[in-house]
Structures are given as C-alpha cells and as structure tokens.
Amino acid sequence: MNSKLIDQNPKTLAIVFDTGDEVTAGLKKVAAEYNLAASHFTAIGAFQEVTLGFFDLERKDYKTINLREQMEVLSLIGSISLKDADPQLHAHIVVGLADATTRGGHLIRGIVRPTLEIVLTESPVHLHRKFDPKVGLALINLKDPPADVA
C-alpha cells in the first residue's frame, strides 16, 4: 500500500493498495499516520476475498458473508471518524462477480487483487463516535462533542 498527500486544503490523499493488502487495516494505518479524524472516501478496484456485514438490529451484531473469488469493486464509500481518540472506519461496498451479479454490505475485511484506488478527503472539523446501547453501535455524535472539540 502506498499513500500520497495530493492537496493540503482540504487535505486529500491518494491511496493505492496492491495484491494481498488488507484494506480495513490499511485505512486505519493511514488514518493514524495522517491524523485523520473526519474523512470520507471513495474507491474502485478489485478483491480476491471480502467479508461483508449486515447489521442485525435484534442481535446488535453483524451477520457476515464471506466471498472468495475474483470480483470487481464497483463502489466503495466510507468515512473515518474518531472513537475514544482512535480512528474508526465505516464503509459500505458493492462488488461485481464474474456472472454480473452483485453483492454488497458493510465492509468488514477485504483482500485486494490486483489493485484498489482510493481518494480520501479530510474535513476541517473532526467527528467523534459514541456508543449507542439502544442500537448496539458507535454512531457519529453531533450533540455531545468531547471536551477537546467544544
């Protein structure tokens, strides 16, 4: 994986993943390296393996679906925000299979083959997540920012 700052205002990065790279861990690494706290991104490319998630509100947990075949990343969009000062990734993906069918959901894990190209833009205001016990997820919290942001 390689990343490059391509603009300062707003902070914009190009990130290119190579065959075998795992995307979610790589994005968290880039977020920490560049101090990202309120970013959004889009990507296209291809995977050899992906784990999709579908959030089950009753169980408050993700049902996972694993795909292990060559597939096109038709759309990957997401955000990076903070939870307890750590970068948190929230991404949704649609992949295209060889028979022209699609699968989609929350991106849990993805292994690239041969490449994934991401353009990421940082917002000047940081976003923070707070765990919502009713939902069972850490959601972006616009009402009660941490003391260092107020």
Side-chain angles (χ1 to χ4, degrees):
M1 172 194 64
N2 292 298
S3 61
K4 181 177 182 178
L5 184 64
I6 58 175
D7 199 351
Q8 282 284 1
N9 193 15
K11 186 188 293 184
T12 304
L13 301 168
I15 308 163
V16 178
F17 288 86
D18 299 313
T19 297
D21 289 342
E22 198 288 306
V23 173
T24 59
L27 278 171
K28 288 179 184 178
K29 180 180 175 185
V30 168
E33 184 179 325
Y34 286 93
N35 277 333
L36 303 177
S39 303
H40 62 277
F41 59 87
T42 60
I44 57 171
F47 283 160
Q48 64 185 355
E49 184 178 331
V50 69
T51 301
L52 305 173
F54 183 84
F55 192 73
D56 182 332
L57 281 169
E58 298 300 316
R59 292 183 346 171
K60 296 184 177 162
D61 197 8
Y62 285 95
K63 173 187 175 192
T64 58
I65 300 100
N66 295 303
L67 301 173
R68 289 184 178 86
E69 60 187 271
Q70 187 63 31
M71 64 202 94
E72 293 286 331
V73 175
L74 303 177
S75 177
L76 173 55
I77 59 172
S79 63
I80 297 173
S81 56
L82 294 177
K83 180 177 181 277
D84 302 326
D86 293 323
Q88 297 294 303
L89 176 67
H90 183 199
H92 288 196
I93 186 168
V94 177
V95 295
L97 307 181
D99 64 359
T101 60
T102 58
R103 301 288 190 274
H106 181 86
L107 177 63
I108 304 287
R109 180 176 180 270
I111 305 296
V112 173
R113 181 172 172 217
T115 190
L116 186 76
E117 303 162 345
I118 297 178
V119 175
L120 178 147
T121 304
E122 174 79 344
S123 168
V125 176
H126 290 185
L127 296 174
H128 295 268
R129 291 184 176 273
K130 182 177 178 183
F131 184 76
D132 182 334
K134 288 185 253 176
V135 177
L137 292 169
L139 305 176
I140 290 177
N141 179 4
L142 299 176
K143 295 178 184 175
D144 307 310
D148 64 331
V149 177

